[in-house]
Amino acid sequence: MTTYGIPLLVLVTTGSAGLTGLAFALEWLPRLGAFMVAGTLVDRHGTARVFRAACVLRALVVLTAALLLTVHDAGALAEVIVMVLAPVTGVLTEFSYVAAETAGGEASRTAGGRAHRVQSVLLAIDQSAMLAGPVVSGLLLKHGGPAVMLSTLAGFSLLAAVLSPRQRSHPIGATSEKSGLRVGWRTLRSLPALAWLVGGLLVSNVAIGILQAAMPVIVVTELGRSSADAGLIWSAAAVASLLAVTAARRAIDRWGLWPVGTVSAAIAATATLAVAQADSYRGYLLLIAVLMAGEGGLTVVLRTMRSHLIPRDVFGSTLAVTILVLLLPFPAAGLLVAAVPSSQLGEAIAAAALLQALGLATAFSRLRTLPATSPNFPLREEPTAHAHHHAGRTAGPRLLPDHH
């Protein structure tokens, strides 16, 4: 609801495509700065405390905005309120995200060779929320107004804080000073397989960011549809991604992580190239669903590799660095959409699609030539005693193919 609802709220309140793109940039820019402290705080204080504090603060912020918009529902003050809301909620969302992802990494390490199954379940939870969030935001804005949408968002934030588990163990970095972006960056550079995958996804996110920032403008301004229709596109994309995550889990069991990642990358790049040529609402809905299905498979690959390769004592810091790198395109995409006339957004999407195809092809070509070992974790799971109920079947996924 935060990621897709706030830009829609700005468009409904201001009626400006430029301010919508600017709000998208403002929503993402502070998130980059948040990672300078989020990973360190998680390593030092634990996932539960950071997650709960971020959710409570986000609820207070959006409730305050809802009250203010009830009194000032139009005019310059209303525009200021929604524009300020974007960066503040963006920062708080990233703190809770880093905490949740760190907890997921710990669960994956506990699962050992079944880490990709844990990550696919966690991603399915995310995608289920993404299925409901955009369409709920759009419907609440259309039928209830900004105050109702923000109050609902605050309710979900408070519910998350209440349901979050108590700290069951000592914080990951409680006895270690090895935390911070510098350590995270050094760890990422020491893991070439993960570094190349993150680099390829960085380029891919340029296209994804432009699509996310431009879609409210394209659907509402260019196609004349409602805010609910704009939210429905990303909800349909979440359904496709959810199905892709389930399929990816089974495919990794059979063929390994690298082949599944390659196919997912090809699907994502091809769909983005087709989106650049779309000129109807149905075309955008179907193609973005296909695109996000490919992205779902890539996300399972990324999360599984992170859980296997990043050492436990610096997981939060290294996770923060990988997320920071992957978020860099999003504020730039918002600024681009704010600067480019809406009639030329198709050309911008086409250029980003070509860049995405090139970046993913380069990254996966390089991954294929890397040795199947890592300084910290094996990239290929070895068979265990209990895994021989099928001849030749290993306990976990083949993360990269063998090279002889």
Side-chain angles (χ1 to χ4, degrees):
M1 289 186 68
T2 301
T3 301
Y4 299 104
I6 299 301
L8 275 175
L9 173 63
V10 173
L11 183 62
V12 169
T13 303
T14 67
S16 169
L19 286 178
T20 302
L22 181 60
F24 189 87
L26 289 175
E27 186 179 11
W28 286 99
L29 272 173
R31 295 187 181 194
L32 306 184
F35 287 110
M36 298 181 67
V37 293
T40 301
L41 287 177
V42 169
D43 282 344
R44 292 180 180 176
H45 301 289
T47 58
R49 293 176 183 172
V50 174
F51 180 84
R52 189 178 297 113
C55 289
V56 170
L57 288 174
R58 181 173 54 202
L60 293 175
V61 167
V62 295
L63 275 178
T64 301
L67 292 174
L68 292 174
L69 288 175
T70 301
V71 179
H72 306 281
D73 58 353
L77 184 57
E79 294 181 1
V80 171
I81 293 170
V82 295
M83 295 300 288
V84 171
L85 189 62
V88 175
T89 55
V91 168
L92 295 172
T93 296
E94 289 314 308
F95 275 90
S96 61
Y97 179 74
V98 170
E101 285 292 288
T102 303
E106 182 69 15
S108 296
R109 279 188 296 275
T110 302
R114 295 176 296 172
H116 67 290
R117 298 182 183 182
V118 174
Q119 289 297 328
S120 66
V121 170
L122 294 174
L123 187 57
I125 294 171
D126 285 347
Q127 293 302 319
S128 297
M130 293 299 294
L131 167 64
V135 69
V136 167
S137 297
L139 289 173
L140 289 176
L141 276 174
K142 180 179 180 181
H143 299 291
V148 173
M149 191 272 280
L150 291 175
S151 298
T152 304
L153 174 56
F156 279 117
S157 293
L158 288 175
L159 186 61
V162 171
L163 296 179
S164 63
R166 294 183 178 181
Q167 196 77 45
R168 296 180 180 177
S169 60
H170 294 293
I172 292 174
T175 61
S176 173
E177 295 181 358
K178 295 192 301 180
S179 59
L181 288 183
R182 181 177 299 179
V183 171
W185 178 251
R186 187 162 59 244
T187 304
L188 179 62
R189 291 180 61 186
S190 72
L191 304 171
L194 183 60
W196 273 101
L197 180 60
V198 169
L201 293 177
L202 166 67
V203 178
S204 178
N205 278 356
V206 173
I208 302 300
I210 291 176
L211 282 173
Q212 287 188 4
M215 202 49 55
V217 178
I218 293 174
V219 172
V220 177
T221 303
E222 295 297 309
L223 299 181
R225 306 295 288 247
S226 68
S227 59
D229 292 328
L232 181 60
I233 285 184
W234 295 108
S235 293
V239 173
S241 183
L242 188 59
L243 295 174
V245 167
T246 302
R249 180 181 61 206
R250 297 177 179 177
I252 291 170
D253 281 335
R254 182 170 183 179
W255 291 294
L257 201 63
W258 182 83
V260 173
T262 302
V263 172
S264 298
I267 292 174
T270 302
T272 310
L273 287 168
V275 167
Q277 308 302 319
D279 57 1
S280 67
Y281 177 78
R282 178 177 296 180
Y284 280 114
L285 189 148
L286 293 176
L287 289 172
I288 288 180
V290 174
L291 165 62
M292 297 312 292
E295 284 291 311
L298 286 172
T299 304
V300 173
V301 173
L302 172 64
R303 290 186 172 197
T304 304
M305 290 188 70
R306 281 195 312 215
S307 65
H308 270 267
L309 299 178
I310 300 175
R312 181 178 185 274
D313 59 339
V314 292
F315 190 90
S317 299
T318 310
L319 173 67
V321 169
T322 63
I323 300 174
L324 173 62
V325 171
L326 294 176
L327 289 184
L328 287 173
F330 288 93
L335 294 175
L336 178 65
V337 171
V340 173
S342 57
S343 60
Q344 297 179 11
L345 287 176
E347 288 82 351
I349 293 172
L354 292 174
L355 185 64
Q356 178 192 34
L358 179 62
L360 289 175
T362 302
F364 278 91
S365 296
R366 186 68 182 92
L367 282 172
R368 188 174 185 180
T369 65
L370 288 175
T373 57
S374 164
N376 301 293
F377 293 93
L379 286 178
R380 177 186 174 92
E381 295 293 327
E382 297 299 332
T384 59
H386 67 275
H388 287 289
H389 59 285
H390 293 301
R393 184 173 180 177
T394 62
R398 292 184 295 110
L399 298 186
L400 289 176
D402 288 328
H403 297 286
H404 303 287

